[in-house]
Amino acid sequence: MAIRKTNKLPRVFSGIQPSGSVHLGNYLGAIKGWIERQETKENFFCIVDLHAITNWQDPESLRHQTRSLAAVLFAAGLSPLKSTLFVQSHVSAHSEIAWILNCVTPIGWLERMTQYKDKIANEESVSTGILDYPVLMAGDILLYDTDEVPVGEDQKQHVELTRDIARRFNNIYGESFVIPEVVIPKVGARIMGLNDPLVKMSKSHEHIRGHAIALLEEPKEIERNIMRSVTDSGSEIRFSDEPEKAGVNNLLGIYGVIMKKNRSLVEKDFVDSSGYSGLKRRVAEIVIEELRPIRKAYYELMSDVSELDRLLAKGRDKAEQIASLKMQDVKTRVGFVKPH
Ligand code: TYM
C-alpha cells in the first residue's frame, strides 16, 4: 500500500458544496471539527463547485455562494496559516483525475450509492454528474495522499467507495494512492431537521420553513425555529433511539456538540427541567452564542472580496503543487506520453 513519508502530520482533506446556505448540520457535523483539529493536522479544505453543478445552479448565485462559503469558513475559525482552503475548479487536476478514475470504476459500484438511489427516486431526470459524483469525490481525496477524511455520517459510503477505487487502481497500475480513513464525529454526525427530526438537516430541504438553521441566520429567527422544533408529546429529557423521541434526541445532540459534553453530562444538565420549552430555550441560547461571532466576522470578510480572492489564490497555489505531482505519477502509470 502507498504510504506517505512518516514523521509528518496526518494529512486531512475534506470538502463542502457552495450550493444553498451552510447550515448547523454542516457546521456541527464537519466544519467545527475541521477547525478544532487544524493545529494537529496538515489540512486541505475544498469548496467543491464542480460537485455543486451536478444540480443546476444559477451562475451568479454560484459565484456569490463560493466566496460567501469561503468567508463563512474563515469566519468560523479556519486559519489560512494553518489550513489550505481552495476552490475545486481552480485546480484542473480534479477534473482530470475524475476521468481516469471513471475508467477503473465499475458502474455498478456507483449505482449502489444510497445518495444516488435517493436522488433518482425523487427526481424525474438526473444528470450523469449525479451518478459520477462519488468518483469526482474520490479524485479530490486521492490527489492529496490523504490520511483522514472528516465528514458527517451521510458521506461515509462515498469515502468507503474512495478506498475501493484507490485499491483497484493500485492493483492495476501499482501503488500510487494512499488508502484514506473516514473520520466521523461521535456526536453531531447526523443533525436532523427541526421540522421533521426523522429527516437529515439538508440544503435540499432548506426552502421548508423551520427545517434548518443557516449559519448566518439572525438570533431572533434561530430562537423562533428552535422553539417551534418538533418534539413528542411527553416531557422526558433523555437521549433515545425511539423514533418518537427523535426531536428531543436531536436537540440534546446539538447541545452536546456545542458544549463538548458527553451524553450523561448533557442529561445531567436537564435533570431538573420539566417540559421541553426550557430545553429548547437553552439550546437556542447556546446556538445563538456559538454563531454570533461567526456572523460578525463574516460581514467583515465579505466587505473585502479582493482579499478573499487573494486567500483563495494562495490556497490554489499550494493545492496545485501537490495535485499536479500526483497527476504526473498517475498519467505515467496509465501510459500517457509526457508532452515536451
Ligand atoms: P456537503 O456539502 O453536503 O456537506 C458538507 C459536510 O457537512 C456534513 N453534513 C452533515 N453533518 C451532520 N448532520 C447533517 N445534517 C449534515 N449535512 C451535511 C457532510 O457530511 C459533509 O461532511 N460530497 C460532499 C463534499 C465533498 C467532499 C469531498 C467531502 C466533495 N469532495 C472530499 C470530503 C472529501 C458533500 O456534498 O458535502
Side-chain angles (χ1 to χ4, degrees):
M1 188 208 301
I3 297 179
R4 284 198 318 121
K5 290 139 230 82
T6 47
N7 72 31
K8 284 193 171 178
L9 293 177
R11 188 175 284 165
V12 164
F13 185 100
S14 202
I16 179 164
Q17 295 194 59
S19 51
S21 323
V22 191
H23 55 65
L24 196 66
N26 299 130
Y27 177 69
L28 298 181
I31 300 169
K32 194 171 161 66
W34 302 350
I35 287 161
E36 283 171 358
R37 286 189 300 272
Q38 65 183 331
E39 310 281 344
T40 53
K41 315 273 174 181
E42 185 191 8
N43 312 285
F44 288 83
F45 299 121
C46 186
I47 298 178
V48 295
D49 52 354
L50 298 170
H51 279 104
I53 62 161
T54 53
N55 288 309
W56 185 82
Q57 304 290 325
D58 172 68
E60 270 319 307
S61 307
L62 181 60
R63 244 184 298 280
H64 169 74
Q65 280 170 191
T66 300
R67 290 193 175 105
S68 167
L69 179 54
V72 166
L73 295 172
F74 287 131
L78 196 144
S79 158
L81 301 174
K82 295 176 196 147
S83 299
T84 300
L85 178 69
F86 69 102
V87 177
Q88 191 182 30
S89 67
H90 290 178
V91 179
S92 57
H94 289 254
S95 307
E96 274 190 273
I97 198 158
W99 179 258
I100 295 174
L101 296 179
N102 274 336
C103 299
V104 300
T105 306
I107 204 160
W109 288 8
L110 302 179
E111 285 166 339
R112 278 204 297 273
M113 293 293 106
T114 51
Q115 279 204 348
Y116 170 71
K117 287 199 273 191
D118 289 349
K119 289 225 162 107
I120 55 169
N122 296 325
E123 281 163 43
E124 266 176 31
S125 131
V126 297
S127 67
T128 308
I130 294 277
L131 175 67
D132 205 25
Y133 181 111
V135 179
L136 179 61
M137 181 163 160
D140 297 342
I141 296 166
L142 299 177
L143 274 175
Y144 296 87
D145 286 346
T146 301
D147 300 301
E148 297 173 14
V149 187
V151 282
E153 182 72 41
D154 62 336
Q155 296 299 319
K156 189 171 172 213
Q157 195 185 33
H158 290 160
V159 183
E160 282 162 359
L161 179 77
T162 300
R163 291 164 59 86
D164 291 341
I165 294 174
R167 284 199 198 96
R168 191 170 170 100
F169 184 96
N170 287 352
N171 281 340
I172 300 171
Y173 293 112
E175 302 283 312
S176 182
F177 296 131
V178 169
I179 311 296
E181 298 293 332
V182 64
V183 177
I184 309 275
K186 286 197 183 73
V187 264
R190 198 170 163 81
I191 302 294
M192 310 308 280
L194 297 177
N195 65 324
D196 180 354
L198 296 175
V199 170
K200 178 191 78 163
M201 187 178 284
S202 150
K203 287 174 192 158
S204 48
H205 299 312
E206 68 184 3
H207 57 281
I208 301 171
R209 236 176 136 221
H211 169 76
I213 290 179
L215 241 53
L216 301 172
E217 213 151 275
E218 293 293 330
K220 272 216 161 72
E221 195 59 25
I222 297 176
E223 189 182 0
R224 187 168 30 223
N225 284 338
I226 293 180
M227 293 310 291
R228 283 185 185 165
S229 63
V230 170
T231 43
D232 54 289
S233 55
S235 60
E236 234 184 311
I237 303 180
R238 59 174 168 83
F239 283 100
S240 163
D241 293 334
E242 299 151 45
E244 61 272 20
K245 296 221 55 100
V248 169
N249 200 60
N250 194 34
L251 292 172
L252 290 175
I254 293 171
Y255 180 89
V257 195
I258 295 179
M259 302 300 281
K260 298 194 173 63
K261 289 189 173 180
N262 65 25
R263 285 175 167 228
S264 64
L265 289 177
V266 169
E267 285 175 348
K268 246 191 206 152
D269 283 354
F270 294 100
V271 80
D272 295 327
S273 304
S274 60
Y276 295 149
S277 72
L279 165 69
K280 290 180 178 176
R281 196 157 299 115
R282 183 74 187 113
V283 172
E285 252 168 41
I286 59 156
V287 170
I288 289 168
E289 283 324 305
E290 178 81 11
L291 301 186
R292 194 188 298 282
I294 300 180
R295 214 175 48 254
K296 184 164 176 283
Y298 169 83
Y299 287 110
E300 280 163 22
L301 284 155
M302 283 303 275
S303 67
D304 188 355
V305 168
S306 58
E307 174 60 8
L308 267 182
D309 286 353
R310 195 189 63 78
L311 290 173
L312 289 173
K314 220 174 125 220
R316 175 207 55 212
D317 291 347
K318 174 98 189 283
E320 199 156 49
Q321 261 178 10
I322 296 173
S324 63
L325 281 178
K326 179 58 77 179
M327 240 11 258
Q328 274 171 27
D329 176 62
V330 167
K331 285 179 176 175
T332 306
R333 286 175 189 277
V334 170
F336 294 167
V337 172
K338 204 171 171 193
H340 264 285

PDB file of all heavy atoms in Angstrom, residues 252-277:
ATOM      1  N   LEU A 252     -30.708  17.501  22.126  1.00  0.00           N
ATOM      2  CA  LEU A 252     -29.664  17.144  23.093  1.00  0.00           C
ATOM      3  C   LEU A 252     -28.319  16.951  22.376  1.00  0.00           C
ATOM      4  O   LEU A 252     -27.268  17.317  22.896  1.00  0.00           O
ATOM      5  CB  LEU A 252     -30.042  15.868  23.850  1.00  0.00           C
ATOM      6  CG  LEU A 252     -31.214  16.003  24.834  1.00  0.00           C
ATOM      7  CD1 LEU A 252     -31.581  14.642  25.423  1.00  0.00           C
ATOM      8  CD2 LEU A 252     -30.883  16.978  25.966  1.00  0.00           C
ATOM      9  N   GLY A 253     -28.376  16.383  21.166  1.00  0.00           N
ATOM     10  CA  GLY A 253     -27.143  16.187  20.380  1.00  0.00           C
ATOM     11  C   GLY A 253     -26.506  17.528  20.045  1.00  0.00           C
ATOM     12  O   GLY A 253     -25.296  17.711  20.191  1.00  0.00           O
ATOM     13  N   ILE A 254     -27.326  18.475  19.607  1.00  0.00           N
ATOM     14  CA  ILE A 254     -26.817  19.812  19.258  1.00  0.00           C
ATOM     15  C   ILE A 254     -26.166  20.440  20.495  1.00  0.00           C
ATOM     16  O   ILE A 254     -25.052  20.971  20.442  1.00  0.00           O
ATOM     17  CB  ILE A 254     -27.981  20.712  18.727  1.00  0.00           C
ATOM     18  CG1 ILE A 254     -28.484  20.167  17.384  1.00  0.00           C
ATOM     19  CG2 ILE A 254     -27.558  22.170  18.622  1.00  0.00           C
ATOM     20  CD1 ILE A 254     -29.766  20.822  16.850  1.00  0.00           C
ATOM     21  N   TYR A 255     -26.862  20.304  21.633  1.00  0.00           N
ATOM     22  CA  TYR A 255     -26.346  20.854  22.888  1.00  0.00           C
ATOM     23  C   TYR A 255     -24.989  20.197  23.231  1.00  0.00           C
ATOM     24  O   TYR A 255     -24.032  20.875  23.581  1.00  0.00           O
ATOM     25  CB  TYR A 255     -27.381  20.583  23.998  1.00  0.00           C
ATOM     26  CG  TYR A 255     -26.996  21.095  25.359  1.00  0.00           C
ATOM     27  CD1 TYR A 255     -27.320  22.394  25.751  1.00  0.00           C
ATOM     28  CD2 TYR A 255     -26.320  20.283  26.264  1.00  0.00           C
ATOM     29  CE1 TYR A 255     -26.955  22.860  27.010  1.00  0.00           C
ATOM     30  CE2 TYR A 255     -25.961  20.747  27.524  1.00  0.00           C
ATOM     31  CZ  TYR A 255     -26.288  22.035  27.893  1.00  0.00           C
ATOM     32  OH  TYR A 255     -25.929  22.495  29.136  1.00  0.00           O
ATOM     33  N   GLY A 256     -24.942  18.876  23.085  1.00  0.00           N
ATOM     34  CA  GLY A 256     -23.722  18.125  23.436  1.00  0.00           C
ATOM     35  C   GLY A 256     -22.517  18.547  22.608  1.00  0.00           C
ATOM     36  O   GLY A 256     -21.421  18.711  23.143  1.00  0.00           O
ATOM     37  N   VAL A 257     -22.700  18.714  21.293  1.00  0.00           N
ATOM     38  CA  VAL A 257     -21.540  19.070  20.446  1.00  0.00           C
ATOM     39  C   VAL A 257     -21.054  20.473  20.809  1.00  0.00           C
ATOM     40  O   VAL A 257     -19.857  20.703  20.934  1.00  0.00           O
ATOM     41  CB  VAL A 257     -21.871  19.094  18.929  1.00  0.00           C
ATOM     42  CG1 VAL A 257     -20.602  19.093  18.107  1.00  0.00           C
ATOM     43  CG2 VAL A 257     -22.763  17.973  18.510  1.00  0.00           C
ATOM     44  N   ILE A 258     -21.991  21.393  20.968  1.00  0.00           N
ATOM     45  CA  ILE A 258     -21.560  22.772  21.237  1.00  0.00           C
ATOM     46  C   ILE A 258     -20.911  22.872  22.619  1.00  0.00           C
ATOM     47  O   ILE A 258     -19.873  23.511  22.784  1.00  0.00           O
ATOM     48  CB  ILE A 258     -22.750  23.756  21.101  1.00  0.00           C
ATOM     49  CG1 ILE A 258     -23.217  23.770  19.642  1.00  0.00           C
ATOM     50  CG2 ILE A 258     -22.358  25.168  21.549  1.00  0.00           C
ATOM     51  CD1 ILE A 258     -24.396  24.674  19.347  1.00  0.00           C
ATOM     52  N   MET A 259     -21.496  22.205  23.620  1.00  0.00           N
ATOM     53  CA  MET A 259     -20.961  22.297  24.988  1.00  0.00           C
ATOM     54  C   MET A 259     -19.811  21.309  25.217  1.00  0.00           C
ATOM     55  O   MET A 259     -19.249  21.261  26.302  1.00  0.00           O
ATOM     56  CB  MET A 259     -22.072  22.030  26.014  1.00  0.00           C
ATOM     57  CG  MET A 259     -23.260  22.964  25.922  1.00  0.00           C
ATOM     58  SD  MET A 259     -22.810  24.695  26.158  1.00  0.00           S
ATOM     59  CE  MET A 259     -22.661  24.765  27.933  1.00  0.00           C
ATOM     60  N   LYS A 260     -19.516  20.493  24.211  1.00  0.00           N
ATOM     61  CA  LYS A 260     -18.463  19.467  24.327  1.00  0.00           C
ATOM     62  C   LYS A 260     -18.708  18.573  25.549  1.00  0.00           C
ATOM     63  O   LYS A 260     -17.827  18.362  26.388  1.00  0.00           O
ATOM     64  CB  LYS A 260     -17.086  20.106  24.419  1.00  0.00           C
ATOM     65  CG  LYS A 260     -16.696  20.911  23.208  1.00  0.00           C
ATOM     66  CD  LYS A 260     -15.197  21.207  23.268  1.00  0.00           C
ATOM     67  CE  LYS A 260     -14.678  21.848  22.039  1.00  0.00           C
ATOM     68  NZ  LYS A 260     -15.225  23.153  21.725  1.00  0.00           N
ATOM     69  N   LYS A 261     -19.930  18.091  25.678  1.00  0.00           N
ATOM     70  CA  LYS A 261     -20.275  17.220  26.818  1.00  0.00           C
ATOM     71  C   LYS A 261     -20.771  15.885  26.291  1.00  0.00           C
ATOM     72  O   LYS A 261     -21.449  15.851  25.264  1.00  0.00           O
ATOM     73  CB  LYS A 261     -21.389  17.864  27.656  1.00  0.00           C
ATOM     74  CG  LYS A 261     -20.914  19.082  28.428  1.00  0.00           C
ATOM     75  CD  LYS A 261     -21.987  19.563  29.403  1.00  0.00           C
ATOM     76  CE  LYS A 261     -21.409  20.672  30.271  1.00  0.00           C
ATOM     77  NZ  LYS A 261     -22.380  21.189  31.239  1.00  0.00           N
ATOM     78  N   ASN A 262     -20.446  14.814  27.036  1.00  0.00           N
ATOM     79  CA  ASN A 262     -20.950  13.504  26.606  1.00  0.00           C
ATOM     80  C   ASN A 262     -22.410  13.350  27.045  1.00  0.00           C
ATOM     81  O   ASN A 262     -22.954  14.209  27.740  1.00  0.00           O
ATOM     82  CB  ASN A 262     -20.063  12.372  27.143  1.00  0.00           C
ATOM     83  CG  ASN A 262     -20.114  12.287  28.646  1.00  0.00           C
ATOM     84  OD1 ASN A 262     -21.083  12.707  29.282  1.00  0.00           O
ATOM     85  ND2 ASN A 262     -19.061  11.753  29.243  1.00  0.00           N
ATOM     86  N   ARG A 263     -23.001  12.237  26.627  1.00  0.00           N
ATOM     87  CA  ARG A 263     -24.443  12.056  26.839  1.00  0.00           C
ATOM     88  C   ARG A 263     -24.868  12.199  28.296  1.00  0.00           C
ATOM     89  O   ARG A 263     -25.854  12.855  28.611  1.00  0.00           O
ATOM     90  CB  ARG A 263     -24.866  10.677  26.337  1.00  0.00           C
ATOM     91  CG  ARG A 263     -24.922  10.628  24.835  1.00  0.00           C
ATOM     92  CD  ARG A 263     -25.223   9.249  24.364  1.00  0.00           C
ATOM     93  NE  ARG A 263     -25.559   9.317  22.951  1.00  0.00           N
ATOM     94  CZ  ARG A 263     -26.613   8.735  22.392  1.00  0.00           C
ATOM     95  NH1 ARG A 263     -27.433   8.003  23.095  1.00  0.00           N
ATOM     96  NH2 ARG A 263     -26.849   8.859  21.109  1.00  0.00           N
ATOM     97  N   SER A 264     -24.089  11.561  29.225  1.00  0.00           N
ATOM     98  CA  SER A 264     -24.586  11.578  30.598  1.00  0.00           C
ATOM     99  C   SER A 264     -24.452  12.983  31.187  1.00  0.00           C
ATOM    100  O   SER A 264     -25.334  13.418  31.947  1.00  0.00           O
ATOM    101  CB  SER A 264     -23.920  10.503  31.453  1.00  0.00           C
ATOM    102  OG  SER A 264     -22.563  10.765  31.552  1.00  0.00           O
ATOM    103  N   LEU A 265     -23.406  13.718  30.814  1.00  0.00           N
ATOM    104  CA  LEU A 265     -23.285  15.097  31.317  1.00  0.00           C
ATOM    105  C   LEU A 265     -24.397  15.978  30.742  1.00  0.00           C
ATOM    106  O   LEU A 265     -24.929  16.851  31.433  1.00  0.00           O
ATOM    107  CB  LEU A 265     -21.913  15.681  30.962  1.00  0.00           C
ATOM    108  CG  LEU A 265     -20.730  15.102  31.737  1.00  0.00           C
ATOM    109  CD1 LEU A 265     -19.416  15.695  31.251  1.00  0.00           C
ATOM    110  CD2 LEU A 265     -20.894  15.355  33.239  1.00  0.00           C
ATOM    111  N   VAL A 266     -24.740  15.732  29.489  1.00  0.00           N
ATOM    112  CA  VAL A 266     -25.817  16.502  28.870  1.00  0.00           C
ATOM    113  C   VAL A 266     -27.132  16.248  29.627  1.00  0.00           C
ATOM    114  O   VAL A 266     -27.831  17.189  30.035  1.00  0.00           O
ATOM    115  CB  VAL A 266     -25.987  16.121  27.374  1.00  0.00           C
ATOM    116  CG1 VAL A 266     -27.271  16.702  26.804  1.00  0.00           C
ATOM    117  CG2 VAL A 266     -24.789  16.588  26.549  1.00  0.00           C
ATOM    118  N   GLU A 267     -27.429  14.973  29.859  1.00  0.00           N
ATOM    119  CA  GLU A 267     -28.695  14.649  30.531  1.00  0.00           C
ATOM    120  C   GLU A 267     -28.735  15.232  31.938  1.00  0.00           C
ATOM    121  O   GLU A 267     -29.775  15.709  32.403  1.00  0.00           O
ATOM    122  CB  GLU A 267     -28.908  13.131  30.549  1.00  0.00           C
ATOM    123  CG  GLU A 267     -29.335  12.619  29.178  1.00  0.00           C
ATOM    124  CD  GLU A 267     -29.443  11.101  29.098  1.00  0.00           C
ATOM    125  OE1 GLU A 267     -28.988  10.401  30.025  1.00  0.00           O
ATOM    126  OE2 GLU A 267     -29.986  10.603  28.081  1.00  0.00           O
ATOM    127  N   LYS A 268     -27.554  15.240  32.618  1.00  0.00           N
ATOM    128  CA  LYS A 268     -27.478  15.819  33.966  1.00  0.00           C
ATOM    129  C   LYS A 268     -27.890  17.285  33.959  1.00  0.00           C
ATOM    130  O   LYS A 268     -28.546  17.770  34.871  1.00  0.00           O
ATOM    131  CB  LYS A 268     -26.030  15.713  34.469  1.00  0.00           C
ATOM    132  CG  LYS A 268     -25.874  14.805  35.645  1.00  0.00           C
ATOM    133  CD  LYS A 268     -24.508  14.945  36.240  1.00  0.00           C
ATOM    134  CE  LYS A 268     -24.162  13.636  36.932  1.00  0.00           C
ATOM    135  NZ  LYS A 268     -22.759  13.375  36.976  1.00  0.00           N
ATOM    136  N   ASP A 269     -27.467  18.001  32.892  1.00  0.00           N
ATOM    137  CA  ASP A 269     -27.776  19.437  32.826  1.00  0.00           C
ATOM    138  C   ASP A 269     -29.282  19.708  32.777  1.00  0.00           C
ATOM    139  O   ASP A 269     -29.708  20.825  33.029  1.00  0.00           O
ATOM    140  CB  ASP A 269     -27.121  20.076  31.578  1.00  0.00           C
ATOM    141  CG  ASP A 269     -25.635  20.309  31.790  1.00  0.00           C
ATOM    142  OD1 ASP A 269     -25.159  20.080  32.927  1.00  0.00           O
ATOM    143  OD2 ASP A 269     -24.960  20.718  30.837  1.00  0.00           O
ATOM    144  N   PHE A 270     -30.060  18.679  32.392  1.00  0.00           N
ATOM    145  CA  PHE A 270     -31.503  18.914  32.252  1.00  0.00           C
ATOM    146  C   PHE A 270     -32.324  18.097  33.244  1.00  0.00           C
ATOM    147  O   PHE A 270     -33.535  18.008  33.127  1.00  0.00           O
ATOM    148  CB  PHE A 270     -31.950  18.611  30.812  1.00  0.00           C
ATOM    149  CG  PHE A 270     -31.334  19.574  29.829  1.00  0.00           C
ATOM    150  CD1 PHE A 270     -30.221  19.210  29.082  1.00  0.00           C
ATOM    151  CD2 PHE A 270     -31.835  20.858  29.710  1.00  0.00           C
ATOM    152  CE1 PHE A 270     -29.640  20.107  28.204  1.00  0.00           C
ATOM    153  CE2 PHE A 270     -31.255  21.765  28.834  1.00  0.00           C
ATOM    154  CZ  PHE A 270     -30.149  21.387  28.087  1.00  0.00           C
ATOM    155  N   VAL A 271     -31.616  17.557  34.248  1.00  0.00           N
ATOM    156  CA  VAL A 271     -32.301  16.634  35.164  1.00  0.00           C
ATOM    157  C   VAL A 271     -33.428  17.354  35.936  1.00  0.00           C
ATOM    158  O   VAL A 271     -34.461  16.758  36.244  1.00  0.00           O
ATOM    159  CB  VAL A 271     -31.257  15.917  36.064  1.00  0.00           C
ATOM    160  CG1 VAL A 271     -30.797  16.761  37.224  1.00  0.00           C
ATOM    161  CG2 VAL A 271     -31.745  14.573  36.492  1.00  0.00           C
ATOM    162  N   ASP A 272     -33.241  18.645  36.211  1.00  0.00           N
ATOM    163  CA  ASP A 272     -34.274  19.360  36.970  1.00  0.00           C
ATOM    164  C   ASP A 272     -35.270  20.091  36.078  1.00  0.00           C
ATOM    165  O   ASP A 272     -36.177  20.759  36.581  1.00  0.00           O
ATOM    166  CB  ASP A 272     -33.616  20.386  37.919  1.00  0.00           C
ATOM    167  CG  ASP A 272     -32.792  19.690  38.980  1.00  0.00           C
ATOM    168  OD1 ASP A 272     -33.192  18.583  39.393  1.00  0.00           O
ATOM    169  OD2 ASP A 272     -31.740  20.236  39.356  1.00  0.00           O
ATOM    170  N   SER A 273     -35.092  20.000  34.763  1.00  0.00           N
ATOM    171  CA  SER A 273     -36.012  20.723  33.873  1.00  0.00           C
ATOM    172  C   SER A 273     -37.305  19.940  33.723  1.00  0.00           C
ATOM    173  O   SER A 273     -37.284  18.718  33.652  1.00  0.00           O
ATOM    174  CB  SER A 273     -35.434  20.878  32.470  1.00  0.00           C
ATOM    175  OG  SER A 273     -34.210  21.490  32.532  1.00  0.00           O
ATOM    176  N   SER A 274     -38.379  20.629  33.669  1.00  0.00           N
ATOM    177  CA  SER A 274     -39.634  19.930  33.375  1.00  0.00           C
ATOM    178  C   SER A 274     -40.180  20.505  32.075  1.00  0.00           C
ATOM    179  O   SER A 274     -40.201  21.711  31.882  1.00  0.00           O
ATOM    180  CB  SER A 274     -40.622  20.110  34.520  1.00  0.00           C
ATOM    181  OG  SER A 274     -40.871  21.477  34.673  1.00  0.00           O
ATOM    182  N   GLY A 275     -40.565  19.621  31.183  1.00  0.00           N
ATOM    183  CA  GLY A 275     -41.107  20.076  29.892  1.00  0.00           C
ATOM    184  C   GLY A 275     -39.987  20.457  28.940  1.00  0.00           C
ATOM    185  O   GLY A 275     -38.826  20.597  29.339  1.00  0.00           O
ATOM    186  N   TYR A 276     -40.394  20.599  27.682  1.00  0.00           N
ATOM    187  CA  TYR A 276     -39.385  20.816  26.644  1.00  0.00           C
ATOM    188  C   TYR A 276     -39.074  22.282  26.367  1.00  0.00           C
ATOM    189  O   TYR A 276     -38.105  22.580  25.697  1.00  0.00           O
ATOM    190  CB  TYR A 276     -39.840  20.163  25.329  1.00  0.00           C
ATOM    191  CG  TYR A 276     -39.948  18.644  25.408  1.00  0.00           C
ATOM    192  CD1 TYR A 276     -40.891  17.968  24.643  1.00  0.00           C
ATOM    193  CD2 TYR A 276     -39.100  17.914  26.229  1.00  0.00           C
ATOM    194  CE1 TYR A 276     -41.000  16.580  24.713  1.00  0.00           C
ATOM    195  CE2 TYR A 276     -39.211  16.536  26.297  1.00  0.00           C
ATOM    196  CZ  TYR A 276     -40.153  15.875  25.547  1.00  0.00           C
ATOM    197  OH  TYR A 276     -40.246  14.522  25.607  1.00  0.00           O
ATOM    198  N   SER A 277     -39.893  23.202  26.902  1.00  0.00           N
ATOM    199  CA  SER A 277     -39.640  24.590  26.492  1.00  0.00           C
ATOM    200  C   SER A 277     -38.329  25.100  27.097  1.00  0.00           C
ATOM    201  O   SER A 277     -37.607  25.867  26.454  1.00  0.00           O
ATOM    202  CB  SER A 277     -40.834  25.488  26.792  1.00  0.00           C
ATOM    203  OG  SER A 277     -40.916  25.682  28.168  1.00  0.00           O
TER     204      SER A 277
END
